[in-house]
Structures are given as C-alpha cells and as structure tokens.
Amino acid sequence: MAEWHPAAEEYCETIWELGEDHIDVVQARIAERLGVSRPAVSLMVRRLEADGMVSSAGGVIALTPPGRELAERVVRRHRLAERFLTDLLHLSWAEAHHEAGKWEHVISERVERALVELLDDPTTCPHGNPIPGSGYSAGDLEPLAGVAVGERFVVERIPESLEFTEGILDYLEHVGMVPGQAGEVTAQSPDGTVTVEVGGDPVGIGSFAAGRILVSR
C-alpha cells in the first residue's frame, strides 16, 4: 500500500475509531478528538475526499475502501505497539498510548510481523480493543452503566473515547479496572456514578466512563 503523510493517516485512523465507538463522524467530533480547529478539519477532509480516501455526503464522513484499509493498518500498528510497550517495556497505559501514537506512523511491515510473532499474535490492545486483522471475536458486551446493583461483571474493553480523555487511563489502570478483571456493582448514584468492588476495594466510576466501559457477565 502507498505511503501517506502522518496527518492523513491520523485523520483516517480517527474516523475509523469514532465509528468503532459508534460516535457520529462529523467534522466537530474529529476536531474534538484531534484537538484542532474545524477549518483545519474541513481542509483535510476535502483533501482526503479528493484523494478518494473519504466521502462526506450529508455532512457525515465515511472512509472509502482505500481509506478503511489505511486506517486499519494504522490502528493495527498502534495497538500492537501499545501491547509491546506495556507487556515488555512495562510502560503505563497512558504512556504507551502516547508513544504508540508516534510508532504507528513508522512501523514497517517487517517490524509489524516481528511484533506479532514476539507478542504471540495478540487479538487486543492492553485496553481490550480489537487489533484489526487479528481474528478477534467479540462476545456479548454492554456498558458498565447497564449493570444492576448486586450483579457481577468482567471488564472487557476501555474504548478509544476514554483513552483520549485526560486522566482516565491512569485512573482505571491504578484502580484495577482492566480487561479480565471481575467486579461487582455495589451502588449507583442519581448522577450516573457507579460504585464497584474490584479486588476487594470500592471504586467510583463517573457517568462518562461508566457509560463507555464495556463489560461481560
């Protein structure tokens, strides 16, 4: 596949990840995720559309097949890099996410294959999100906010929308809300805050995170 400028890769990746999180892919959401102005997003979307990478009918931005192929390549390398940085170099979730944002643009096909072999062909990133092309198969998942008081759950995925929210990754990793961790909902507040017990300790999860953390039962 042809090489693209990192900015083009970043936009295609963002469009793909917003769709993965079931967020409307419009220019405002892209601007929020990337921390850039709406005019800058408008300009880049027009360029990508001219290059046949996206379509923007009715204001909704969608990847074309070539755009999706590029996005999935970048997402795959990002999540493989996160896996390497956490599993082997023992970086924190937040550090790994930041560093992988740089690595995703420079990992070659050869290095990608070596990472897959070294990491024993993982199917998810450290936060439980699927690695494209890995054969990941999702079970029945639901937001933590939908689990009733007294019911148990297993953390499965911390979506990208939380990875880009300041402080969330550090907090969730610190309190043990990590994929594979079992817990129980012990209280729910009117403001949407959920209190859970994980590892024997009470943990408060705000409404924004509780509505996005995906769990199984």
Side-chain angles (χ1 to χ4, degrees), residues 168-197:
I168 289 287
L169 283 185
D170 282 331
Y171 177 73
L172 294 176
E173 184 177 26
H174 176 71
V175 300
M177 285 290 288
V178 300
Q181 174 65 57
E184 180 180 338
V185 174
T186 57
Q188 292 178 331
S189 301
D191 66 359
T193 297
V194 176
T195 302
V196 302
E197 183 178 291

Side-chain angles (χ1 to χ4, degrees), residues 61-138:
I61 301 163
L63 294 166
T64 62
R68 174 168 289 275
E69 182 181 356
L70 174 62
E72 290 183 348
R73 182 182 72 178
V74 177
V75 171
R76 174 176 171 81
R77 293 175 178 179
H78 180 101
R79 293 178 179 177
L80 284 170
E82 284 183 318
R83 194 90 255 179
F84 174 80
L85 291 164
T86 56
D87 293 5
L88 277 72
L89 300 189
H90 309 296
L91 269 63
S92 70
W93 273 5
E95 290 174 312
H97 178 69
H98 177 72
E99 290 296 326
K102 305 172 188 177
W103 287 34
E104 66 190 25
H105 302 297
V106 297
I107 292 176
S108 67
E109 290 185 10
R110 183 177 180 183
V111 171
E112 179 185 322
R113 290 194 297 270
L115 284 172
V116 170
E117 182 176 354
L118 179 65
L119 297 168
D120 196 24
D121 199 10
T123 59
T124 70
C125 76
H127 322 112
N129 295 310
I131 295 174
S134 67
Y136 170 86
S137 178

Side-chain angles (χ1 to χ4, degrees), residues 7-65:
E9 294 184 340
E10 198 82 27
Y11 271 78
C12 288
E13 176 188 24
T14 297
I15 293 166
W16 191 92
E17 289 175 344
L18 289 171
E20 180 186 44
D21 286 349
H22 306 291
I23 297 171
D24 290 338
V25 186
V26 295
Q27 291 189 12
R29 300 292 83 76
I30 296 173
E32 289 172 1
R33 176 66 61 90
L34 293 177
V36 298
S37 69
R38 293 193 190 183
V41 173
S42 179
L43 178 61
M44 179 59 81
V45 168
R46 288 201 300 271
R47 289 177 177 173
L48 290 172
E49 194 162 21
D51 288 333
M53 304 300 281
V54 306
S55 63
S56 58
V60 177
I61 301 163
L63 294 166
T64 62

